[in-house]
Amino acid sequence: MRTRIDIASYVRLTELADYIVPFALRVVCDLGVADHLVDGPLSVDRLAESTGSHAPSLRRVMRALACRGIFTEVSEDRFALTPLAEPLRSDHPLSLREAYPLLPGDVKAWAHFDHSVRTGEPAFDQAHGQSYWDYLAQRPDELRAFNASQQAATRLELRTLLPAYDWGSLETVVDVGGGNGAFLAGLLAKFPRLHGTLLDQPDMAAQAHEVLAAAEVAGRCEVVGGSFFDEVPPGADAYLLKRILYGWDDERAVQLLRTVAAAMKPRSRLLVLEPVRKPGNEFDVGKTYDLLLFAMAGGRVRGADEIGALCARAGLRVERVVDTMMLPIVEVRTEETQG
């Protein structure tokens, strides 16, 4: 059989297999390069001085990124922002600068990804001898960087999730595993009659007070430290699981759903906000993110039918799935509640 040579496919595969650009992009994010180009082009020497970097090395990085449309070399050794680089500014309303940290623990774990594929176990555990969350708990700097990356994603999620659902019909909401409170703060700021409760591990929940106060919603929000596997504050109109359920295997996910179900009143609803895997070969961010969960924490992105099956085991049922440009909203009710 004669092998067909398709040069375009070779070029595309090279792009897809490239980890050079992602690493370079994360370095310029950590350095804050885009912040120094807000007022116009600068020379590499000025950029290096401002960012505390080595000018000849930064020049090489900027040229590599410019040929991919991230920054542009407007003249010899002078670089400027492009539309792709604009969101890397810290002052951008939807800034992604902190969304792409260069975390040593993650990098080392990806080098062991073959272990995950061969065994079904998290590469992170193999690389570090402990779980992802235990590792972060012992490294405050990496934990802060991780939290900042999640907060950057939350800014985009708020823009897409708040217009897509009737949040105004709610009076009370519990954000289960709500982290530092960024999403709940944005939700309460948008809907002034809404009262919230944030539940997370005590060290994480402690960080929420500052975020809620900065959003001027602390007076309408209680912060509770504890494990969502043990108990969830009862009686709220809605419970949120935003990017939580997919971090656990089926048994732990069902355990979590049962804990939430026990807290729900007859008319309560559970809103699962996370990628939902779609069938077919079209691009699906959930299928890509699934590998990140697999490598780091052993979780996985599920299809709508799989989420429904987990809910059924917990005495819950999926009412509907609301698609958005970011995360779908999976609305879940108790089996006794109709519509």
Side-chain angles (χ1 to χ4, degrees), residues 34-57:
D35 290 349
H36 298 283
L37 297 174
V38 172
D39 295 326
L42 287 179
S43 69
V44 166
D45 287 339
R46 285 281 304 279
L47 277 175
E49 181 181 358
S50 300
T51 59
S53 55
H54 180 242
S57 301

Side-chain angles (χ1 to χ4, degrees), residues 4-16:
R4 178 172 175 264
I5 298 176
D6 182 352
I7 298 301
S9 294
Y10 277 78
V11 173
R12 180 61 176 149
L13 278 173
T14 300
E15 292 176 346
L16 292 173

Side-chain angles (χ1 to χ4, degrees), residues 316-327:
L316 300 166
R317 60 180 174 80
V318 173
E319 181 93 344
R320 58 178 176 143
V321 178
V322 180
D323 285 324
T324 78
M325 291 184 67
M326 287 288 288
L327 304 176

Side-chain angles (χ1 to χ4, degrees), residues 262-338:
M264 294 170 68
K265 58 186 179 182
R267 300 297 297 178
S268 294
R269 68 199 77 171
L270 165 63
L271 304 176
V272 178
L273 314 175
E274 66 182 41
V276 176
R277 192 185 68 253
K278 297 179 180 179
N281 295 319
E282 296 299 317
F283 173 74
D284 178 6
V285 69
K287 293 175 183 175
T288 305
Y289 204 81
D290 183 45
L291 298 185
L292 175 65
L293 294 167
F294 180 28
M296 297 298 153
R300 65 191 183 96
V301 171
R302 298 175 173 91
D305 56 339
E306 293 174 300
I307 294 175
L310 295 180
C311 288
R313 291 174 58 186
L316 300 166
R317 60 180 174 80
V318 173
E319 181 93 344
R320 58 178 176 143
V321 178
V322 180
D323 285 324
T324 78
M325 291 184 67
M326 287 288 288
L327 304 176
I329 303 173
V330 183
E331 186 181 73
V332 178
R333 305 272 189 164
T334 61
E335 288 183 337
E336 294 80 8
T337 304
Q338 297 298 319

